[in-house]
Protein backbone atom coordinates (compact mmCIF):
# COMPACT_ATOMS: atom_id res chain seq x y z
CA UNK A 1 0.00 0.00 0.00
CA UNK A 2 1.33 3.38 -0.99
CA UNK A 3 0.73 6.24 1.39
CA UNK A 4 0.53 9.37 -0.68
CA UNK A 5 1.93 12.56 0.77
CA UNK A 6 -1.21 14.58 1.30
CA UNK A 7 0.86 17.28 2.94
CA UNK A 8 1.71 18.45 -0.60
CA UNK A 9 -1.96 19.07 -1.16
CA UNK A 10 -2.65 20.62 2.26
CA UNK A 11 0.35 22.91 1.86
CA UNK A 12 1.59 22.14 5.38
CA UNK A 13 5.07 21.21 4.21
CA UNK A 14 5.69 24.82 3.27
CA UNK A 15 5.26 25.57 6.98
CA UNK A 16 7.54 22.77 8.13
CA UNK A 17 4.90 20.16 8.98
CA UNK A 18 4.99 16.72 7.45
CA UNK A 19 1.65 15.03 7.42
CA UNK A 20 0.92 11.83 5.56
CA UNK A 21 -2.56 10.45 5.31
CA UNK A 22 -3.22 6.92 4.17
CA UNK A 23 -5.78 6.84 1.33
CA UNK A 24 -7.20 3.61 2.76
CA UNK A 25 -7.98 5.48 5.99
CA UNK A 26 -9.87 8.07 3.96
CA UNK A 27 -11.91 5.34 2.28
CA UNK A 28 -12.63 3.64 5.61
CA UNK A 29 -13.72 6.91 7.21
CA UNK A 30 -16.04 7.69 4.31
CA UNK A 31 -17.83 4.40 5.04
CA UNK A 32 -18.62 5.39 8.64
CA UNK A 33 -22.25 6.21 9.37
CA UNK A 34 -24.13 7.15 12.54
CA UNK A 35 -25.01 3.53 13.31
CA UNK A 36 -21.29 2.83 13.80
CA UNK A 37 -20.92 5.19 16.77
CA UNK A 38 -22.75 5.61 20.07
CA UNK A 39 -24.41 8.46 21.88
CA UNK A 40 -22.30 9.87 24.70
CA UNK A 41 -23.32 8.96 28.27
CA UNK A 42 -23.04 12.60 29.41
CA UNK A 43 -22.89 16.14 28.06
CA UNK A 44 -20.74 19.07 29.10
CA UNK A 45 -20.60 22.81 28.49
CA UNK A 46 -18.54 25.81 29.59
CA UNK A 47 -19.75 29.18 30.83
CA UNK A 48 -17.93 31.96 29.04
CA UNK A 49 -17.89 35.60 28.10
CA UNK A 50 -17.01 36.64 24.57
CA UNK A 51 -14.25 39.23 24.45
CA UNK A 52 -13.98 40.33 20.79
CA UNK A 53 -10.49 41.80 21.12
CA UNK A 54 -10.43 43.03 17.54
CA UNK A 55 -12.61 42.61 14.48
CA UNK A 56 -9.67 43.33 12.16
CA UNK A 57 -8.65 40.36 10.01
CA UNK A 58 -6.12 39.90 7.25
CA UNK A 59 -8.50 37.51 5.44
CA UNK A 60 -11.89 37.92 3.80
CA UNK A 61 -13.65 34.54 4.05
CA UNK A 62 -16.91 34.84 2.15
CA UNK A 63 -19.07 33.22 4.90
CA UNK A 64 -17.75 35.38 7.73
CA UNK A 65 -19.61 38.26 9.35
CA UNK A 66 -17.04 38.69 12.11
CA UNK A 67 -14.39 40.78 10.40
CA UNK A 68 -14.64 44.50 9.66
CA UNK A 69 -12.77 46.22 6.85
CA UNK A 70 -9.94 48.68 7.56
CA UNK A 71 -11.30 51.90 8.99
CA UNK A 72 -14.28 50.12 10.58
CA UNK A 73 -12.58 47.45 12.69
CA UNK A 74 -12.82 47.67 16.47
CA UNK A 75 -10.16 47.11 19.12
CA UNK A 76 -11.29 46.77 22.73
CA UNK A 77 -9.47 48.98 25.20
CA UNK A 78 -8.05 47.54 28.44
CA UNK A 79 -10.92 49.21 30.32
CA UNK A 80 -13.51 47.58 28.05
CA UNK A 81 -11.85 44.18 28.47
CA UNK A 82 -11.89 44.61 32.22
CA UNK A 83 -15.58 45.60 32.26
CA UNK A 84 -16.60 42.56 30.18
CA UNK A 85 -14.49 40.20 32.30
CA UNK A 86 -15.77 41.60 35.58
CA UNK A 87 -19.35 41.14 34.45
CA UNK A 88 -18.53 37.62 33.33
CA UNK A 89 -16.93 36.67 36.62
CA UNK A 90 -19.88 38.16 38.54
CA UNK A 91 -22.24 36.05 36.42
CA UNK A 92 -20.33 32.89 37.37
CA UNK A 93 -18.38 32.38 34.15
CA UNK A 94 -14.99 30.66 34.16
CA UNK A 95 -13.79 31.47 30.64
CA UNK A 96 -12.78 34.64 28.83
CA UNK A 97 -13.11 33.68 25.16
CA UNK A 98 -10.86 36.05 23.22
CA UNK A 99 -12.06 36.17 19.64
CA UNK A 100 -10.14 37.71 16.76
CA UNK A 101 -9.89 37.97 13.12
CA UNK A 102 -6.47 36.87 12.01
CA UNK A 103 -3.32 38.92 12.65
CA UNK A 104 -4.28 42.36 11.22
CA UNK A 105 -2.17 43.14 8.14
CA UNK A 106 -0.71 46.52 7.21
CA UNK A 107 -4.04 47.73 5.79
CA UNK A 108 -5.30 48.26 9.36
CA UNK A 109 -3.18 51.33 10.07
CA UNK A 110 -5.54 52.65 12.79
CA UNK A 111 -5.37 49.34 14.69
CA UNK A 112 -1.56 49.38 14.63
CA UNK A 113 -1.46 53.03 15.66
CA UNK A 114 -3.76 52.35 18.60
CA UNK A 115 -1.74 49.31 19.67
CA UNK A 116 1.41 51.40 19.47
CA UNK A 117 -0.19 54.16 21.57
CA UNK A 118 -0.91 51.51 24.21
CA UNK A 119 2.71 50.35 24.11
CA UNK A 120 2.30 47.23 21.97
CA UNK A 121 4.00 46.33 18.73
CA UNK A 122 1.65 43.47 17.87
CA UNK A 123 -1.81 42.13 18.56
CA UNK A 124 -0.21 39.18 20.37
CA UNK A 125 1.64 41.47 22.74
CA UNK A 126 -1.69 43.15 23.50
CA UNK A 127 -3.40 39.78 23.87
CA UNK A 128 -0.95 38.89 26.62
CA UNK A 129 -2.02 42.00 28.55
CA UNK A 130 -5.68 41.18 27.87
CA UNK A 131 -5.21 37.66 29.26
CA UNK A 132 -3.67 39.13 32.41
CA UNK A 133 -6.71 41.35 32.84
CA UNK A 134 -9.00 38.33 32.49
CA UNK A 135 -7.00 36.30 34.99
CA UNK A 136 -7.05 39.19 37.47
CA UNK A 137 -10.83 39.40 37.06
CA UNK A 138 -11.22 35.69 37.87
CA UNK A 139 -11.56 34.16 34.40
CA UNK A 140 -9.39 31.63 32.55
CA UNK A 141 -8.41 32.85 29.06
CA UNK A 142 -9.06 30.79 25.95
CA UNK A 143 -7.80 32.63 22.86
CA UNK A 144 -8.50 32.05 19.17
CA UNK A 145 -6.12 34.38 17.33
CA UNK A 146 -6.28 32.53 14.00
CA UNK A 147 -3.06 31.40 12.33
CA UNK A 148 -0.08 31.82 14.63
CA UNK A 149 3.66 31.51 14.20
CA UNK A 150 5.62 29.77 16.91
CA UNK A 151 6.85 33.14 18.22
CA UNK A 152 3.33 34.56 18.39
CA UNK A 153 1.92 31.54 20.20
CA UNK A 154 4.87 31.41 22.60
CA UNK A 155 4.15 34.98 23.60
CA UNK A 156 0.67 34.15 24.92
CA UNK A 157 0.59 30.39 25.58
CA UNK A 158 1.46 30.62 29.27
CA UNK A 159 -1.40 33.08 29.85
CA UNK A 160 -4.04 30.78 28.35
CA UNK A 161 -5.75 27.76 29.87
CA UNK A 162 -6.28 26.51 26.32
CA UNK A 163 -6.27 27.94 22.83
CA UNK A 164 -7.87 27.16 19.52
CA UNK A 165 -8.26 27.63 15.82
CA UNK A 166 -10.74 26.00 13.47
CA UNK A 167 -8.98 24.00 10.79
CA UNK A 168 -12.26 24.32 8.86
CA UNK A 169 -11.04 22.24 5.93
CA UNK A 170 -7.86 20.96 4.35
CA UNK A 171 -9.36 21.73 0.93
CA UNK A 172 -8.65 24.85 -1.08
CA UNK A 173 -12.17 26.26 -1.33
CA UNK A 174 -13.24 29.44 -3.06
CA UNK A 175 -14.90 30.58 0.18
CA UNK A 176 -11.34 31.17 1.48
CA UNK A 177 -10.31 32.77 -1.78
CA UNK A 178 -9.89 36.26 -3.07
CA UNK A 179 -6.77 38.39 -2.85
CA UNK A 180 -6.06 37.34 0.73
CA UNK A 181 -6.79 33.61 0.87
CA UNK A 182 -6.56 31.62 4.07
CA UNK A 183 -4.30 28.57 3.62
CA UNK A 184 -5.08 25.15 5.10
CA UNK A 185 -1.36 24.46 5.47
CA UNK A 186 -0.95 27.41 7.79
CA UNK A 187 -3.85 26.23 9.97
CA UNK A 188 -2.32 22.76 10.18
CA UNK A 189 0.99 24.36 11.15
CA UNK A 190 -0.75 26.35 13.91
CA UNK A 191 -2.30 23.18 15.34
CA UNK A 192 1.08 21.46 15.15
CA UNK A 193 2.77 24.40 16.88
CA UNK A 194 0.26 24.17 19.73
CA UNK A 195 1.22 20.53 20.10
CA UNK A 196 4.93 21.33 20.16
CA UNK A 197 4.36 24.00 22.79
CA UNK A 198 2.09 21.74 24.87
CA UNK A 199 -1.02 23.91 24.58
CA UNK A 200 -4.37 22.14 25.15
CA UNK A 201 -6.13 22.90 21.91
CA UNK A 202 -9.58 23.19 20.39
CA UNK A 203 -10.06 22.85 16.66
CA UNK A 204 -12.75 21.74 14.31
CA UNK A 205 -14.19 21.66 10.85
CA UNK A 206 -16.65 23.94 9.12
CA UNK A 207 -19.12 21.99 7.02
CA UNK A 208 -20.67 23.35 3.82
CA UNK A 209 -18.14 25.89 2.52
CA UNK A 210 -17.55 24.07 -0.75
CA UNK A 211 -15.65 21.04 0.51
CA UNK A 212 -16.57 17.44 -0.36
CA UNK A 213 -17.24 14.54 2.00
CA UNK A 214 -13.74 13.30 1.11
CA UNK A 215 -12.29 16.67 2.13
CA UNK A 216 -14.10 16.34 5.47
CA UNK A 217 -12.64 12.89 6.01
CA UNK A 218 -9.15 14.16 5.14
CA UNK A 219 -9.56 17.15 7.45
CA UNK A 220 -10.58 14.92 10.36
CA UNK A 221 -7.72 12.52 9.64
CA UNK A 222 -5.28 15.44 9.61
CA UNK A 223 -6.50 16.55 13.05
CA UNK A 224 -6.38 12.97 14.32
CA UNK A 225 -2.80 12.58 13.05
CA UNK A 226 -1.71 15.76 14.84
CA UNK A 227 -3.42 14.61 18.03
CA UNK A 228 -1.73 11.25 17.78
CA UNK A 229 1.60 13.05 17.52
CA UNK A 230 1.12 15.51 20.38
CA UNK A 231 -1.92 14.44 22.44
CA UNK A 232 -3.10 18.04 22.71
CA UNK A 233 -6.46 18.19 20.95
CA UNK A 234 -9.06 18.46 23.69
CA UNK A 235 -12.13 18.83 21.49
CA UNK A 236 -13.26 19.05 17.89
CA UNK A 237 -16.10 21.31 16.84
CA UNK A 238 -18.26 20.11 13.97
CA UNK A 239 -19.91 23.28 12.80
CA UNK A 240 -22.23 23.93 9.86
CA UNK A 241 -21.84 27.14 7.88
CA UNK A 242 -25.00 29.21 8.22
CA UNK A 243 -26.65 31.87 6.09
CA UNK A 244 -25.87 35.45 6.96
CA UNK A 245 -25.44 38.82 5.29
CA UNK A 246 -22.23 37.65 3.55
CA UNK A 247 -23.03 33.97 2.92
CA UNK A 248 -25.87 32.89 0.68
CA UNK A 249 -24.36 29.51 -0.17
CA UNK A 250 -26.79 27.54 2.01
CA UNK A 251 -26.18 25.30 4.98
CA UNK A 252 -25.39 21.57 4.96
CA UNK A 253 -28.31 19.20 5.30
CA UNK A 254 -28.90 17.03 8.32
CA UNK A 255 -27.55 13.89 6.65
CA UNK A 256 -24.22 15.60 5.92
CA UNK A 257 -23.98 16.82 9.51
CA UNK A 258 -24.83 13.39 10.91
CA UNK A 259 -22.28 11.58 8.77
CA UNK A 260 -19.58 14.16 9.46
CA UNK A 261 -20.21 14.08 13.20
CA UNK A 262 -20.08 10.28 13.19
CA UNK A 263 -16.81 10.41 11.23
CA UNK A 264 -15.35 12.79 13.81
CA UNK A 265 -16.42 10.53 16.69
CA UNK A 266 -15.07 7.49 14.95
CA UNK A 267 -11.63 8.86 14.06
CA UNK A 268 -10.74 10.53 17.37
CA UNK A 269 -10.02 8.75 20.64
CA UNK A 270 -12.96 8.75 23.09
CA UNK A 271 -11.38 11.30 25.39
CA UNK A 272 -11.34 13.96 22.66
CA UNK A 273 -14.72 15.65 22.90
CA UNK A 274 -16.92 16.22 19.87
CA UNK A 275 -18.68 19.52 20.21
CA UNK A 276 -21.75 20.84 18.46
CA UNK A 277 -22.86 24.46 18.94
CA UNK A 278 -26.61 24.44 19.73
CA UNK A 279 -27.15 27.93 18.30
CA UNK A 280 -25.93 26.81 14.87
CA UNK A 281 -26.49 23.05 14.56
CA UNK A 282 -29.47 20.71 15.10
CA UNK A 283 -27.78 19.26 18.16
CA UNK A 284 -30.58 16.98 19.30
CA UNK A 285 -30.50 15.19 15.97
CA UNK A 286 -26.74 14.74 16.24
CA UNK A 287 -26.50 13.35 19.78
CA UNK A 288 -26.61 9.74 18.64
CA UNK A 289 -23.64 10.52 16.35
CA UNK A 290 -21.38 11.02 19.35
CA UNK A 291 -21.71 14.66 20.46
CA UNK A 292 -20.61 14.99 24.08
CA UNK A 293 -20.10 18.74 24.45
CA UNK A 294 -22.38 21.69 23.80
CA UNK A 295 -19.64 24.30 23.76
CA UNK A 296 -19.62 27.62 25.52
CA UNK A 297 -22.70 29.47 26.65
CA UNK A 298 -22.62 33.04 27.70
CA UNK A 299 -25.09 34.55 30.08
CA UNK A 300 -24.05 38.09 29.27
CA UNK A 301 -22.42 38.65 25.88
CA UNK A 302 -23.53 38.05 22.34
CA UNK A 303 -21.96 35.36 20.24
CA UNK A 304 -19.82 37.83 18.32
CA UNK A 305 -18.85 35.23 15.74
CA UNK A 306 -22.45 34.63 14.70
CA UNK A 307 -24.43 37.57 16.07
CA UNK A 308 -27.56 36.66 14.13
CA UNK A 309 -27.87 33.39 16.05
CA UNK A 310 -28.59 33.82 19.74
CA UNK A 311 -27.10 31.42 22.22
CA UNK A 312 -29.81 29.35 23.80
CA UNK A 313 -30.25 29.96 27.48
CA UNK A 314 -28.61 27.57 29.88
CA UNK A 315 -32.09 26.20 30.50
CA UNK A 316 -32.22 25.10 26.89
CA UNK A 317 -29.02 23.09 27.35
CA UNK A 318 -30.59 21.44 30.36
CA UNK A 319 -33.65 20.61 28.29
CA UNK A 320 -31.45 19.02 25.60
CA UNK A 321 -29.78 16.85 28.24
CA UNK A 322 -33.10 15.98 29.88
CA UNK A 323 -34.65 14.89 26.62
CA UNK A 324 -31.56 12.79 25.88
CA UNK A 325 -31.76 11.43 29.44
CA UNK A 326 -28.09 12.11 30.14
CA UNK A 327 -26.45 14.25 32.82
CA UNK A 328 -25.21 17.74 31.91
CA UNK A 329 -22.23 19.22 33.72
CA UNK A 330 -20.22 22.38 33.47
CA UNK A 331 -16.50 22.20 32.67
CA UNK A 332 -13.59 24.60 32.55
CA UNK A 333 -12.25 25.94 29.23
CA UNK A 334 -9.44 23.45 29.71
CA UNK A 335 -10.61 19.86 29.93
CA UNK A 336 -9.95 18.10 33.22
CA UNK A 337 -7.31 15.73 31.88
CA UNK A 338 -5.09 18.66 30.91
CA UNK A 339 -5.15 20.26 34.36
CA UNK A 340 -1.62 19.24 35.27
CA UNK A 341 1.88 20.73 35.34
CA UNK A 342 2.59 18.96 32.07
CA UNK A 343 0.02 21.09 30.23
CA UNK A 344 -0.62 24.25 32.22
CA UNK A 345 1.78 27.08 33.04
CA UNK A 346 2.51 28.07 36.63
CA UNK A 347 0.37 31.23 36.11
CA UNK A 348 -2.71 29.24 35.07
CA UNK A 349 -2.18 26.58 37.73
CA UNK A 350 -1.87 29.29 40.37
CA UNK A 351 -5.22 30.72 39.25
CA UNK A 352 -6.87 27.30 39.50
CA UNK A 353 -5.24 26.55 42.84
CA UNK A 354 -5.94 30.05 44.17
CA UNK A 355 -7.49 30.58 47.56
CA UNK A 356 -9.88 33.19 46.20
CA UNK A 357 -13.45 32.98 44.96
CA UNK A 358 -12.33 32.33 41.35
CA UNK A 359 -10.03 29.47 42.38
CA UNK A 360 -12.84 27.88 44.38
CA UNK A 361 -15.17 28.24 41.36
CA UNK A 362 -12.64 26.55 39.08
CA UNK A 363 -11.94 23.68 41.47
CA UNK A 364 -15.63 23.04 42.10
CA UNK A 365 -15.91 22.16 38.39
CA UNK A 366 -12.92 19.84 38.55
CA UNK A 367 -14.37 18.05 41.55
CA UNK A 368 -17.78 17.51 39.96
S1 LIG B 1 -13.46 33.32 9.30
FE1 LIG B 1 -11.76 34.04 10.59
S2 LIG B 1 -10.03 34.21 9.17
FE2 LIG B 1 -11.91 34.18 7.89
S3 LIG B 1 -12.44 36.36 7.64
FE3 LIG B 1 -13.55 35.59 9.41
S4 LIG B 1 -12.29 36.15 11.17
FE4 LIG B 1 -11.00 36.25 9.34
Amino acid sequence: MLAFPRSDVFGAEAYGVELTIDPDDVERLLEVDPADVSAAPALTFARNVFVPLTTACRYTCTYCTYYDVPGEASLLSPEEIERICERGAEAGCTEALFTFGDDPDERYTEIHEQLSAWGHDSIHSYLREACEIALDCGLLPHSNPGDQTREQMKLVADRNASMGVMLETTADVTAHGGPRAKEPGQRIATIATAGELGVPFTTGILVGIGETARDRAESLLAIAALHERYGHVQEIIVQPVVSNERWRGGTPDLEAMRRTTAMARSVLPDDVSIQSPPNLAPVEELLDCGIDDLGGVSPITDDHINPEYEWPALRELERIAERADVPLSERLPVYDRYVSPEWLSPRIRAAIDGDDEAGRRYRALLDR
Side-chain angles (χ1 to χ4, degrees), residues 14-89:
Y15 297 92
V17 180
E18 282 194 23
L19 199 61
T20 303
I21 289 177
D22 186 333
D24 288 350
D25 288 343
V26 178
E27 296 306 325
R28 268 193 293 274
L29 196 52
L30 282 167
E31 291 299 311
V32 168
D33 81 12
D36 298 324
V37 297
S38 306
L43 293 169
T44 55
F45 73 100
R47 210 180 293 236
N48 64 20
V49 275
F50 268 72
V51 191
L53 198 66
T54 177
T55 59
C57 181
R58 62 175 53 239
Y59 301 128
T60 49
C61 305
T62 59
Y63 48 81
C64 174
T65 53
Y66 182 80
Y67 75 88
D68 288 318
V69 296
E72 293 176 17
S74 60
L75 180 68
L76 291 180
S77 68
E79 295 73 28
E80 288 171 315
I81 296 166
E82 187 171 24
R83 259 197 310 278
I84 294 171
C85 290
E86 280 176 353
R87 287 181 62 210

Side-chain angles (χ1 to χ4, degrees), residues 11-264:
E13 257 178 10
Y15 297 92
V17 180
E18 282 194 23
L19 199 61
T20 303
I21 289 177
D22 186 333
D24 288 350
D25 288 343
V26 178
E27 296 306 325
R28 268 193 293 274
L29 196 52
L30 282 167
E31 291 299 311
V32 168
D33 81 12
D36 298 324
V37 297
S38 306
L43 293 169
T44 55
F45 73 100
R47 210 180 293 236
N48 64 20
V49 275
F50 268 72
V51 191
L53 198 66
T54 177
T55 59
C57 181
R58 62 175 53 239
Y59 301 128
T60 49
C61 305
T62 59
Y63 48 81
C64 174
T65 53
Y66 182 80
Y67 75 88
D68 288 318
V69 296
E72 293 176 17
S74 60
L75 180 68
L76 291 180
S77 68
E79 295 73 28
E80 288 171 315
I81 296 166
E82 187 171 24
R83 259 197 310 278
I84 294 171
C85 290
E86 280 176 353
R87 287 181 62 210
E90 279 163 19
C93 297
T94 61
E95 173 181 357
L97 174 56
F98 286 104
T99 57
F100 283 72
D102 206 292
D103 202 7
D105 57 19
E106 65 286 347
R107 294 173 305 141
Y108 289 91
T109 48
E110 76 288 356
I111 297 288
H112 294 293
E113 282 165 12
Q114 184 60 74
L115 286 172
S116 175
W118 289 337
H120 294 282
D121 61 2
S122 71
I123 194 73
H124 276 78
S125 161
Y126 186 46
L127 173 60
R128 188 176 175 87
E129 178 183 339
C131 291
E132 279 292 356
I133 294 171
L135 284 162
D136 288 345
C137 288
L139 295 176
L140 295 172
H142 170 99
S143 301
N144 291 272
D147 293 332
Q148 296 181 78
T149 63
R150 189 183 176 86
E151 291 66 37
Q152 288 172 329
M153 197 182 290
K154 253 185 120 168
L155 190 59
V156 295
D158 67 345
R159 293 302 186 264
N160 277 272
S162 59
M163 299 185 77
V165 74
M166 291 287 279
L167 171 60
E168 298 189 349
T169 179
T170 48
D172 281 318
V173 291
T174 53
H176 287 162
R180 288 171 292 278
K182 186 153 80 174
E183 292 175 43
Q186 214 171 348
R187 298 257 146 170
I188 288 171
T190 299
I191 301 168
T193 298
E196 286 169 7
L197 294 178
V199 178
F201 211 68
T202 295
T203 187
I205 62 169
L206 188 57
V207 184
I209 54 173
E211 83 292 352
T212 64
R214 183 171 298 274
D215 294 327
R216 292 171 203 148
E218 290 183 356
S219 303
L220 290 166
L221 282 162
I223 295 170
L226 291 168
H227 179 68
E228 193 177 336
R229 198 175 295 173
Y230 301 110
H232 67 312
V233 176
Q234 58 174 5
E235 59 183 353
I236 288 192
I237 304 169
V238 181
Q239 183 176 326
V241 70
V242 291
S243 297
N244 59 44
E245 66 196 41
R246 285 184 176 142
W247 178 257
R248 295 286 178 253
T251 193
D253 63 22
L254 181 60
E255 178 62 14
M257 288 304 297
R258 285 179 56 78
R259 289 193 80 94
T260 309
T261 307
M263 284 199 296

